[in-house]
Structure formats: C-alpha cells, structure tokens
Amino acid sequence: LAGSSDRMRSHHRQYALCAEKAWRFLRHPDIERIETMFVFQNVSKKFGAEQVLNHITAEFGSGQIHGIIGKNGSGKTVFLKLACGLLHPDEGQVLVNGEQLGKDVDFPDNIGIIIESPGFLSYHSGYKNLLYLASLRNRIGKKEIESAIRKVGLNPADKKPVGKYSLGMRQRLGIAQAIMENPPLLILDEPLNGLDKNGIEEMRALLLQLTAEGKTILLASHVKDDVEILCDTVSEVADGTLTRTK
C-alpha cells in the first residue's frame, strides 16, 4: 500500500508538470512569434591546444527552457559562460537580446546565473548571504529576498550558517540567488544537482512556473530526465559541436 501511495503521488506530480507545460504552450501557440533571446554566430573557443567549441551557430527563443546536454567535460559549462559574458569567443559572436557581448555590453544587464557550484560565505546564514549579494546592486530589498528563499523551499528565518547546509540546501540557495532580482533571463548549470527526488520535482515545477511567467532559461544538465521533462528545446554538446535534438 505504501508503494502504491508513493506511485500515485509521483503520477500526480508528473501530471501537474505536464499540465504546466501545456499551459505554457497555449501561451505561445505560434512558435514563429517567439522572439530570439540568445544567438550564437559561428562561435569557437579553445584553451591552449584543446578546441572546446568549434564554429557553433544556434538561436534560442524567449519564454522557453532550452536544455544543453552532454557528458561531463564536453563543453556545456563553457557554452553557458559564453552565453552570459564570463568568457568571450575566440571567433564568432554571442548576442543576448540583440546586444553583442564584449562589444555592445560586457554582460547582459538582467540575468540570473548559476555556473558550477554556488559560492557563499560559509559562516553566514542563507538570508544574510543573499542580503549581501543584493546590496551590490541595490535593486531589491528584504521582501524580495525572503520571497525567493521561500520559493525554493528554504526558510529565510533559519539562522544556520551555509557551511552547515547540505548539498541540496546549497543548491536551492543558489537558485534563490539566481531568481531573487526577478531577471527575465536565467542561465543554470546543473541546477538540480544534489537535490533528492522531492527536491528535483519541486525545482522542476518552479522552473516551469518561471517560464510560464515569461522567463527564458538556458539549462545545462547531464541527466536526461531533467531536459526531457523540462525543456522546450534540447541541444547536445559533443566533440566541439552543438546539435539540436529536440
């Protein structure tokens, strides 16, 4: 009976996720009307003699979740760093919302990012960490920070220092950091890493909710289920190339 109950709860969660995706599709029934948010034009990047990305050309529409898959070390993280201006291509150009990175702007103005492992001050609470990060740009206050923390399933009043957080809690805090200023663009590198089964389902639902609100998400993962359930498009990085598979 317990196993049957767990399966029923899982089916209900999957149904809710599918319903959320269907609602998003109804918001954008004509795919041609979706504006292009990210453009890679003949982009190449290498480190020393290693050619990581080789003449990649791709476009990603707004209001969608775009999955980037590939084995560890395939170049997914390099691709995301190029998409947000943390790296610049050796050849070609990257445009975000019509602006060329490294020429028109150094970084996109309104963007939330998780690249590799989120870094926080280990001796402060999650709330104090986000309060400090928010103070760097002074765009939001305590109310928005608390809301972001609650959205990812954490308690803003928790005094526990981040150094004592589990890997899953740190990942949730990283997602809260990325969304707290309500940016229209999100670049997330393995955002579900370290989460348990329930945490994965909760964060999947959150990401679908964010795109239902019009957000655009570039998401890298080596877990096939993440991209199959979440993503409107899927592209695979392998041997320096990017191939659209969905």
Side-chain angles (χ1 to χ4, degrees):
L1 287 174
S4 175
S5 178
D6 287 343
R7 283 194 296 273
M8 286 182 66
R9 281 195 294 270
S10 179
H11 288 322
H12 284 314
R13 293 189 191 103
Q14 293 299 324
Y15 176 81
L17 288 169
C18 290
E20 186 72 42
K21 291 199 78 173
W23 190 88
R24 280 199 297 129
F25 177 77
L26 291 172
R27 277 185 85 242
H28 301 294
D30 184 356
I31 198 70
E32 295 300 321
R33 293 172 56 197
I34 296 176
E35 298 176 358
T36 300
M37 187 60 67
F38 293 91
V39 177
F40 286 71
Q41 295 179 343
N42 202 33
V43 170
S44 294
K45 186 67 180 179
K46 67 179 181 179
F47 299 95
E50 181 184 5
Q51 188 76 49
V52 180
L53 301 175
N54 190 19
H55 298 291
I56 286 176
T57 294
E59 295 186 358
F60 302 93
S62 65
Q64 296 180 302
I65 303 179
H66 303 282
I68 308 298
I69 61 173
K71 297 177 181 178
N72 289 333
S74 63
K76 301 187 304 296
T77 299
V78 171
F79 182 86
L80 295 188
K81 286 182 176 181
L82 289 166
C84 63
L86 293 177
L87 290 175
H88 296 300
D90 300 321
E91 297 179 56
Q93 55 186 12
V94 179
L95 293 90
V96 179
N97 201 20
E99 296 182 310
Q100 183 179 341
L101 302 186
K103 182 180 178 182
D104 300 323
V105 293
D106 290 326
F107 305 98
D109 182 47
N110 286 318
I111 193 166
I113 303 169
I114 298 177
I115 299 288
E116 298 173 329
S117 299
F120 297 106
L121 299 173
S122 62
Y123 47 87
H124 281 315
S125 68
Y127 173 78
K128 282 193 174 181
N129 268 275
L130 297 197
L131 188 65
Y132 170 73
L133 290 171
S135 72
L136 299 177
R137 303 211 299 178
N138 288 315
R139 293 186 174 184
I140 58 171
K142 294 180 179 180
K143 180 180 178 181
E144 291 83 2
I145 296 168
E146 291 172 356
S147 175
I149 292 173
R150 291 191 184 96
K151 282 181 180 178
V152 300
L154 296 177
N155 180 2
D158 188 353
K159 304 298 184 183
K160 181 191 296 183
V162 170
K164 294 186 177 180
Y165 276 21
S166 67
L167 177 59
M169 291 177 69
R170 290 177 66 91
Q171 198 68 8
R172 287 173 185 260
L173 189 63
I175 295 171
Q177 173 271 136
I179 68 173
M180 66 181 181
E181 292 184 346
N182 195 30
L185 307 177
L186 291 167
I187 294 182
L188 308 177
D189 186 13
E190 303 282 359
L192 307 182
N193 185 41
L195 297 175
D196 61 19
K197 183 179 178 181
N198 287 338
I200 288 172
E201 290 175 345
E202 289 169 8
M203 291 307 101
R204 283 174 178 168
L206 174 60
L207 295 178
L208 289 172
Q209 177 190 337
L210 291 171
T211 52
E213 295 168 2
K215 307 286 192 291
T216 303
I217 301 175
L218 273 183
L219 179 153
S221 178
H222 67 280
V223 180
K224 218 169 190 180
D225 283 351
D226 292 349
V227 294
E228 289 297 331
I229 291 173
L230 280 171
C231 298
D232 299 285
T233 74
V234 180
S235 300
E236 183 173 8
V237 180
D239 300 321
T241 65
L242 184 75
T243 304
R244 179 69 59 88
T245 62
K246 175 182 175 182

